Amino acid sequence: MKQLKLLFVIVGCLMTSLSWAQQFTDKPNNNEVKSIIGRDKEITGFGNIDFRVGEVVDQQALIVGAYGGVLINKYFMLGVAGYGLTTESKFDGFNPETSAPRELNLYGGYAGMLMGFKVASREIIHLSVPMIIGAGQLDVSDDNYFDLVNGDNDFVLESSSFFVFEPSALIELNISHHFRLGFGAGYRLVKGSSLENLDDDDLSGFSGVVSIQLGKF
């Protein structure tokens, strides 16, 4: 229930931001059709590298990713994003075929569409709200399945795809016209996974975010 309330709040913020963006018109004409992208809009490109630290399966994990796209009127963001789990996420589980207890490891990542907005982006310190909507793939592996001394011992016990929605709020600092640093937090909401060892709650959670942004601002 708390996750659904958070989702509704974020979606509400996004709809509000879209309504603000639509107030920009190509010229002061009451009959002019309003749009985000028009003849006189300022469109620039940008790219981010993100480092996210948060709980995955009740332990701290590092997720590294990147997103990029276009920035419209220095306000509205639209692009694509991709992230991957870079640290070992070991947990006590079981082999779904034998029900034998094992120490397992989690691998995977996710990607999707980026939408978001910035508030007062011309100021040295301002707010950025990126939102990622997409899908991912996870593998649960037993790294000692064959109990070998040397060689590749891992064996994938189960895999699952899932839906992900990850809104974030960052305080951004304009270092230069082409370089920004961001610090903030996000929430990763995972739905639709079908693993025997883990559920959606094990994969969802808050994370701290450090972001490096390059582009023409």
Side-chain angles (χ1 to χ4, degrees):
M1 184 62 69
K2 291 183 179 179
Q3 293 175 346
L4 290 177
K5 289 181 179 179
L6 177 63
L7 178 60
F8 289 143
V9 170
I10 295 299
V11 171
C13 291
L14 179 58
M15 296 302 296
T16 301
S17 71
L18 289 174
S19 66
W20 289 347
Q22 289 177 339
Q23 293 177 8
F24 293 102
T25 59
D26 294 330
K27 52 186 177 181
N29 185 345
N30 291 333
N31 296 323
E32 183 74 23
V33 176
K34 299 179 181 180
S35 62
I36 295 175
I37 301 176
R39 291 189 297 272
D40 299 330
K41 305 310 180 192
E42 181 182 359
I43 300 177
T44 57
F46 70 94
N48 276 58
I49 299 176
D50 271 9
F51 302 90
R52 297 172 177 259
V53 177
E55 282 196 355
V56 177
V57 199
D58 296 326
Q59 58 188 286
Q60 295 299 311
L62 173 63
I63 298 175
V64 178
Y67 62 83
V70 294
L71 182 64
I72 305 168
N73 287 336
K74 302 186 183 296
Y75 172 79
F76 185 75
M77 296 182 289
L78 184 64
V80 294
Y83 290 84
L85 185 63
T86 61
T87 53
E88 286 191 336
S89 294
K90 292 187 178 295
F91 63 96
D92 293 330
F94 63 93
N95 186 329
E97 295 182 358
T98 64
S99 298
R102 304 288 292 184
E103 183 182 61
L104 305 179
N105 208 341
L106 182 68
Y107 301 94
Y110 54 94
M113 180 178 66
L114 166 77
M115 298 181 67
F117 60 92
K118 296 178 183 289
V119 178
S121 66
R122 290 179 172 86
E123 302 297 327
I124 294 178
I125 300 176
H126 58 271
L127 177 66
S128 178
V129 183
M131 306 178 194
I132 299 163
I133 303 174
Q137 176 74 25
L138 290 173
D139 293 333
V140 173
S141 173
D142 184 347
D143 290 349
N144 299 298
Y145 183 82
F146 297 107
D147 294 323
L148 299 178
V149 177
N150 298 307
D152 186 7
N153 302 342
D154 68 312
F155 180 78
V156 176
L157 298 179
E158 54 177 340
S159 299
S160 175
S161 57
F162 60 90
F163 166 82
V164 62
F165 174 59
E166 187 169 29
S168 304
L170 290 82
I171 298 298
E172 279 190 345
L173 177 65
N174 292 344
I175 305 299
S176 72
H177 291 295
H178 300 282
F179 177 42
R180 291 175 172 178
L181 284 177
F183 305 90
Y187 184 80
R188 183 182 60 262
L189 176 64
V190 172
K191 291 294 182 181
S193 64
S194 58
L195 299 172
E196 294 290 337
N197 280 277
L198 302 171
D199 57 27
D200 292 342
D201 290 338
D202 293 320
L203 306 171
S204 302
F206 288 95
S207 61
V209 184
V210 176
S211 182
I212 301 172
Q213 185 173 101
L214 302 174
K216 184 179 179 181
F217 309 118

PDB file of all heavy atoms in Angstrom, residues 68-91:
ATOM      1  N   GLY A  68      20.696   9.006 -20.883  1.00  0.00           N
ATOM      2  CA  GLY A  68      20.942  10.167 -21.720  1.00  0.00           C
ATOM      3  C   GLY A  68      19.764  10.448 -22.618  1.00  0.00           C
ATOM      4  O   GLY A  68      18.864   9.611 -22.778  1.00  0.00           O
ATOM      5  N   GLY A  69      19.777  11.640 -23.208  1.00  0.00           N
ATOM      6  CA  GLY A  69      18.669  12.022 -24.073  1.00  0.00           C
ATOM      7  C   GLY A  69      18.718  13.488 -24.398  1.00  0.00           C
ATOM      8  O   GLY A  69      19.797  14.061 -24.577  1.00  0.00           O
ATOM      9  N   VAL A  70      17.539  14.092 -24.446  1.00  0.00           N
ATOM     10  CA  VAL A  70      17.439  15.509 -24.781  1.00  0.00           C
ATOM     11  C   VAL A  70      16.830  16.270 -23.611  1.00  0.00           C
ATOM     12  O   VAL A  70      16.017  15.736 -22.837  1.00  0.00           O
ATOM     13  CB  VAL A  70      16.586  15.716 -26.046  1.00  0.00           C
ATOM     14  CG1 VAL A  70      17.286  15.115 -27.254  1.00  0.00           C
ATOM     15  CG2 VAL A  70      15.193  15.133 -25.890  1.00  0.00           C
ATOM     16  N   LEU A  71      17.233  17.532 -23.506  1.00  0.00           N
ATOM     17  CA  LEU A  71      16.714  18.450 -22.498  1.00  0.00           C
ATOM     18  C   LEU A  71      16.000  19.569 -23.247  1.00  0.00           C
ATOM     19  O   LEU A  71      16.613  20.283 -24.049  1.00  0.00           O
ATOM     20  CB  LEU A  71      17.849  19.009 -21.647  1.00  0.00           C
ATOM     21  CG  LEU A  71      17.472  19.962 -20.513  1.00  0.00           C
ATOM     22  CD1 LEU A  71      16.628  19.244 -19.471  1.00  0.00           C
ATOM     23  CD2 LEU A  71      18.734  20.534 -19.863  1.00  0.00           C
ATOM     24  N   ILE A  72      14.700  19.711 -23.000  1.00  0.00           N
ATOM     25  CA  ILE A  72      13.864  20.651 -23.729  1.00  0.00           C
ATOM     26  C   ILE A  72      13.630  21.893 -22.876  1.00  0.00           C
ATOM     27  O   ILE A  72      13.119  21.794 -21.763  1.00  0.00           O
ATOM     28  CB  ILE A  72      12.522  20.007 -24.108  1.00  0.00           C
ATOM     29  CG1 ILE A  72      12.771  18.704 -24.895  1.00  0.00           C
ATOM     30  CG2 ILE A  72      11.656  20.968 -24.916  1.00  0.00           C
ATOM     31  CD1 ILE A  72      11.540  17.856 -25.071  1.00  0.00           C
ATOM     32  N   ASN A  73      14.033  23.055 -23.414  1.00  0.00           N
ATOM     33  CA  ASN A  73      13.879  24.324 -22.706  1.00  0.00           C
ATOM     34  C   ASN A  73      14.533  24.321 -21.326  1.00  0.00           C
ATOM     35  O   ASN A  73      14.052  24.978 -20.404  1.00  0.00           O
ATOM     36  CB  ASN A  73      12.400  24.700 -22.569  1.00  0.00           C
ATOM     37  CG  ASN A  73      11.801  25.146 -23.881  1.00  0.00           C
ATOM     38  OD1 ASN A  73      12.511  25.604 -24.766  1.00  0.00           O
ATOM     39  ND2 ASN A  73      10.505  24.990 -24.022  1.00  0.00           N
ATOM     40  N   LYS A  74      15.614  23.552 -21.189  1.00  0.00           N
ATOM     41  CA  LYS A  74      16.345  23.422 -19.923  1.00  0.00           C
ATOM     42  C   LYS A  74      15.463  22.890 -18.797  1.00  0.00           C
ATOM     43  O   LYS A  74      15.758  23.046 -17.613  1.00  0.00           O
ATOM     44  CB  LYS A  74      16.957  24.770 -19.500  1.00  0.00           C
ATOM     45  CG  LYS A  74      17.911  25.352 -20.530  1.00  0.00           C
ATOM     46  CD  LYS A  74      18.585  26.595 -20.012  1.00  0.00           C
ATOM     47  CE  LYS A  74      19.482  27.210 -21.066  1.00  0.00           C
ATOM     48  NZ  LYS A  74      20.592  26.353 -21.452  1.00  0.00           N
ATOM     49  N   TYR A  75      14.373  22.228 -19.178  1.00  0.00           N
ATOM     50  CA  TYR A  75      13.379  21.868 -18.174  1.00  0.00           C
ATOM     51  C   TYR A  75      12.958  20.401 -18.241  1.00  0.00           C
ATOM     52  O   TYR A  75      13.028  19.677 -17.238  1.00  0.00           O
ATOM     53  CB  TYR A  75      12.147  22.767 -18.374  1.00  0.00           C
ATOM     54  CG  TYR A  75      10.958  22.396 -17.523  1.00  0.00           C
ATOM     55  CD1 TYR A  75      10.906  22.763 -16.179  1.00  0.00           C
ATOM     56  CD2 TYR A  75       9.901  21.678 -18.054  1.00  0.00           C
ATOM     57  CE1 TYR A  75       9.819  22.409 -15.388  1.00  0.00           C
ATOM     58  CE2 TYR A  75       8.811  21.327 -17.277  1.00  0.00           C
ATOM     59  CZ  TYR A  75       8.777  21.697 -15.939  1.00  0.00           C
ATOM     60  OH  TYR A  75       7.713  21.338 -15.171  1.00  0.00           O
ATOM     61  N   PHE A  76      12.541  19.931 -19.410  1.00  0.00           N
ATOM     62  CA  PHE A  76      11.952  18.608 -19.526  1.00  0.00           C
ATOM     63  C   PHE A  76      12.968  17.631 -20.106  1.00  0.00           C
ATOM     64  O   PHE A  76      13.600  17.914 -21.129  1.00  0.00           O
ATOM     65  CB  PHE A  76      10.704  18.672 -20.415  1.00  0.00           C
ATOM     66  CG  PHE A  76       9.958  17.372 -20.506  1.00  0.00           C
ATOM     67  CD1 PHE A  76       9.186  16.924 -19.449  1.00  0.00           C
ATOM     68  CD2 PHE A  76      10.033  16.592 -21.646  1.00  0.00           C
ATOM     69  CE1 PHE A  76       8.498  15.722 -19.530  1.00  0.00           C
ATOM     70  CE2 PHE A  76       9.343  15.398 -21.739  1.00  0.00           C
ATOM     71  CZ  PHE A  76       8.575  14.963 -20.674  1.00  0.00           C
ATOM     72  N   MET A  77      13.133  16.439 -19.467  1.00  0.00           N
ATOM     73  CA  MET A  77      14.082  15.421 -19.900  1.00  0.00           C
ATOM     74  C   MET A  77      13.355  14.249 -20.549  1.00  0.00           C
ATOM     75  O   MET A  77      12.324  13.801 -20.055  1.00  0.00           O
ATOM     76  CB  MET A  77      14.900  14.894 -18.703  1.00  0.00           C
ATOM     77  CG  MET A  77      15.780  15.919 -18.041  1.00  0.00           C
ATOM     78  SD  MET A  77      16.744  15.200 -16.673  1.00  0.00           S
ATOM     79  CE  MET A  77      15.442  14.929 -15.455  1.00  0.00           C
ATOM     80  N   LEU A  78      13.938  13.747 -21.643  1.00  0.00           N
ATOM     81  CA  LEU A  78      13.389  12.590 -22.329  1.00  0.00           C
ATOM     82  C   LEU A  78      14.539  11.791 -22.928  1.00  0.00           C
ATOM     83  O   LEU A  78      15.395  12.352 -23.612  1.00  0.00           O
ATOM     84  CB  LEU A  78      12.428  13.028 -23.434  1.00  0.00           C
ATOM     85  CG  LEU A  78      11.695  11.916 -24.193  1.00  0.00           C
ATOM     86  CD1 LEU A  78      10.765  11.161 -23.249  1.00  0.00           C
ATOM     87  CD2 LEU A  78      10.901  12.503 -25.354  1.00  0.00           C
ATOM     88  N   GLY A  79      14.581  10.477 -22.643  1.00  0.00           N
ATOM     89  CA  GLY A  79      15.684   9.671 -23.157  1.00  0.00           C
ATOM     90  C   GLY A  79      15.553   8.203 -22.789  1.00  0.00           C
ATOM     91  O   GLY A  79      14.445   7.689 -22.585  1.00  0.00           O
ATOM     92  N   VAL A  80      16.696   7.521 -22.693  1.00  0.00           N
ATOM     93  CA  VAL A  80      16.750   6.099 -22.346  1.00  0.00           C
ATOM     94  C   VAL A  80      17.765   5.889 -21.223  1.00  0.00           C
ATOM     95  O   VAL A  80      18.654   6.725 -21.011  1.00  0.00           O
ATOM     96  CB  VAL A  80      17.129   5.237 -23.572  1.00  0.00           C
ATOM     97  CG1 VAL A  80      16.041   5.290 -24.619  1.00  0.00           C
ATOM     98  CG2 VAL A  80      18.454   5.695 -24.172  1.00  0.00           C
ATOM     99  N   ALA A  81      17.626   4.761 -20.504  1.00  0.00           N
ATOM    100  CA  ALA A  81      18.490   4.488 -19.365  1.00  0.00           C
ATOM    101  C   ALA A  81      18.765   2.997 -19.252  1.00  0.00           C
ATOM    102  O   ALA A  81      17.978   2.168 -19.725  1.00  0.00           O
ATOM    103  CB  ALA A  81      17.851   4.993 -18.068  1.00  0.00           C
ATOM    104  N   GLY A  82      19.892   2.658 -18.603  1.00  0.00           N
ATOM    105  CA  GLY A  82      20.224   1.267 -18.351  1.00  0.00           C
ATOM    106  C   GLY A  82      21.094   1.131 -17.110  1.00  0.00           C
ATOM    107  O   GLY A  82      21.992   1.958 -16.895  1.00  0.00           O
ATOM    108  N   TYR A  83      20.822   0.101 -16.281  1.00  0.00           N
ATOM    109  CA  TYR A  83      21.538  -0.094 -15.025  1.00  0.00           C
ATOM    110  C   TYR A  83      21.861  -1.572 -14.834  1.00  0.00           C
ATOM    111  O   TYR A  83      21.143  -2.445 -15.327  1.00  0.00           O
ATOM    112  CB  TYR A  83      20.696   0.384 -13.836  1.00  0.00           C
ATOM    113  CG  TYR A  83      20.525   1.876 -13.763  1.00  0.00           C
ATOM    114  CD1 TYR A  83      19.533   2.521 -14.492  1.00  0.00           C
ATOM    115  CD2 TYR A  83      21.370   2.650 -12.979  1.00  0.00           C
ATOM    116  CE1 TYR A  83      19.384   3.884 -14.443  1.00  0.00           C
ATOM    117  CE2 TYR A  83      21.221   4.021 -12.912  1.00  0.00           C
ATOM    118  CZ  TYR A  83      20.225   4.632 -13.648  1.00  0.00           C
ATOM    119  OH  TYR A  83      20.086   5.989 -13.599  1.00  0.00           O
ATOM    120  N   GLY A  84      22.940  -1.834 -14.076  1.00  0.00           N
ATOM    121  CA  GLY A  84      23.316  -3.200 -13.780  1.00  0.00           C
ATOM    122  C   GLY A  84      23.835  -3.342 -12.362  1.00  0.00           C
ATOM    123  O   GLY A  84      24.453  -2.422 -11.811  1.00  0.00           O
ATOM    124  N   LEU A  85      23.597  -4.489 -11.760  1.00  0.00           N
ATOM    125  CA  LEU A  85      24.095  -4.797 -10.418  1.00  0.00           C
ATOM    126  C   LEU A  85      25.575  -5.163 -10.522  1.00  0.00           C
ATOM    127  O   LEU A  85      25.935  -6.111 -11.211  1.00  0.00           O
ATOM    128  CB  LEU A  85      23.288  -5.954  -9.834  1.00  0.00           C
ATOM    129  CG  LEU A  85      23.567  -6.375  -8.395  1.00  0.00           C
ATOM    130  CD1 LEU A  85      23.250  -5.244  -7.429  1.00  0.00           C
ATOM    131  CD2 LEU A  85      22.736  -7.611  -8.048  1.00  0.00           C
ATOM    132  N   THR A  86      26.436  -4.410  -9.839  1.00  0.00           N
ATOM    133  CA  THR A  86      27.880  -4.593 -10.001  1.00  0.00           C
ATOM    134  C   THR A  86      28.550  -5.269  -8.817  1.00  0.00           C
ATOM    135  O   THR A  86      29.708  -5.672  -8.923  1.00  0.00           O
ATOM    136  CB  THR A  86      28.570  -3.231 -10.238  1.00  0.00           C
ATOM    137  OG1 THR A  86      28.348  -2.377  -9.106  1.00  0.00           O
ATOM    138  CG2 THR A  86      28.014  -2.562 -11.492  1.00  0.00           C
ATOM    139  N   THR A  87      27.881  -5.386  -7.694  1.00  0.00           N
ATOM    140  CA  THR A  87      28.461  -6.044  -6.526  1.00  0.00           C
ATOM    141  C   THR A  87      27.801  -7.400  -6.304  1.00  0.00           C
ATOM    142  O   THR A  87      26.679  -7.656  -6.768  1.00  0.00           O
ATOM    143  CB  THR A  87      28.278  -5.188  -5.264  1.00  0.00           C
ATOM    144  OG1 THR A  87      26.891  -4.847  -5.118  1.00  0.00           O
ATOM    145  CG2 THR A  87      29.103  -3.915  -5.362  1.00  0.00           C
ATOM    146  N   GLU A  88      28.500  -8.278  -5.589  1.00  0.00           N
ATOM    147  CA  GLU A  88      27.931  -9.584  -5.264  1.00  0.00           C
ATOM    148  C   GLU A  88      26.768  -9.422  -4.285  1.00  0.00           C
ATOM    149  O   GLU A  88      26.872  -8.709  -3.297  1.00  0.00           O
ATOM    150  CB  GLU A  88      28.985 -10.500  -4.657  1.00  0.00           C
ATOM    151  CG  GLU A  88      29.989 -11.049  -5.656  1.00  0.00           C
ATOM    152  CD  GLU A  88      30.829 -12.159  -5.049  1.00  0.00           C
ATOM    153  OE1 GLU A  88      30.967 -12.180  -3.809  1.00  0.00           O
ATOM    154  OE2 GLU A  88      31.333 -12.990  -5.813  1.00  0.00           O
ATOM    155  N   SER A  89      25.676 -10.074  -4.583  1.00  0.00           N
ATOM    156  CA  SER A  89      24.507 -10.063  -3.704  1.00  0.00           C
ATOM    157  C   SER A  89      24.205 -11.500  -3.293  1.00  0.00           C
ATOM    158  O   SER A  89      23.349 -12.180  -3.876  1.00  0.00           O
ATOM    159  CB  SER A  89      23.306  -9.434  -4.414  1.00  0.00           C
ATOM    160  OG  SER A  89      23.530  -8.071  -4.668  1.00  0.00           O
ATOM    161  N   LYS A  90      24.937 -11.980  -2.318  1.00  0.00           N
ATOM    162  CA  LYS A  90      24.773 -13.354  -1.847  1.00  0.00           C
ATOM    163  C   LYS A  90      23.667 -13.426  -0.790  1.00  0.00           C
ATOM    164  O   LYS A  90      23.498 -12.513   0.018  1.00  0.00           O
ATOM    165  CB  LYS A  90      26.087 -13.875  -1.273  1.00  0.00           C
ATOM    166  CG  LYS A  90      27.189 -14.067  -2.325  1.00  0.00           C
ATOM    167  CD  LYS A  90      28.398 -14.733  -1.729  1.00  0.00           C
ATOM    168  CE  LYS A  90      29.481 -14.963  -2.773  1.00  0.00           C
ATOM    169  NZ  LYS A  90      29.019 -15.932  -3.811  1.00  0.00           N
ATOM    170  N   PHE A  91      22.932 -14.513  -0.814  1.00  0.00           N
ATOM    171  CA  PHE A  91      21.867 -14.719   0.166  1.00  0.00           C
ATOM    172  C   PHE A  91      21.637 -16.216   0.330  1.00  0.00           C
ATOM    173  O   PHE A  91      22.004 -17.024  -0.534  1.00  0.00           O
ATOM    174  CB  PHE A  91      20.576 -14.027  -0.278  1.00  0.00           C
ATOM    175  CG  PHE A  91      20.001 -14.558  -1.562  1.00  0.00           C
ATOM    176  CD1 PHE A  91      18.997 -15.515  -1.556  1.00  0.00           C
ATOM    177  CD2 PHE A  91      20.472 -14.102  -2.790  1.00  0.00           C
ATOM    178  CE1 PHE A  91      18.474 -16.010  -2.733  1.00  0.00           C
ATOM    179  CE2 PHE A  91      19.944 -14.588  -3.980  1.00  0.00           C
ATOM    180  CZ  PHE A  91      18.945 -15.542  -3.949  1.00  0.00           C
TER     181      PHE A  91
END
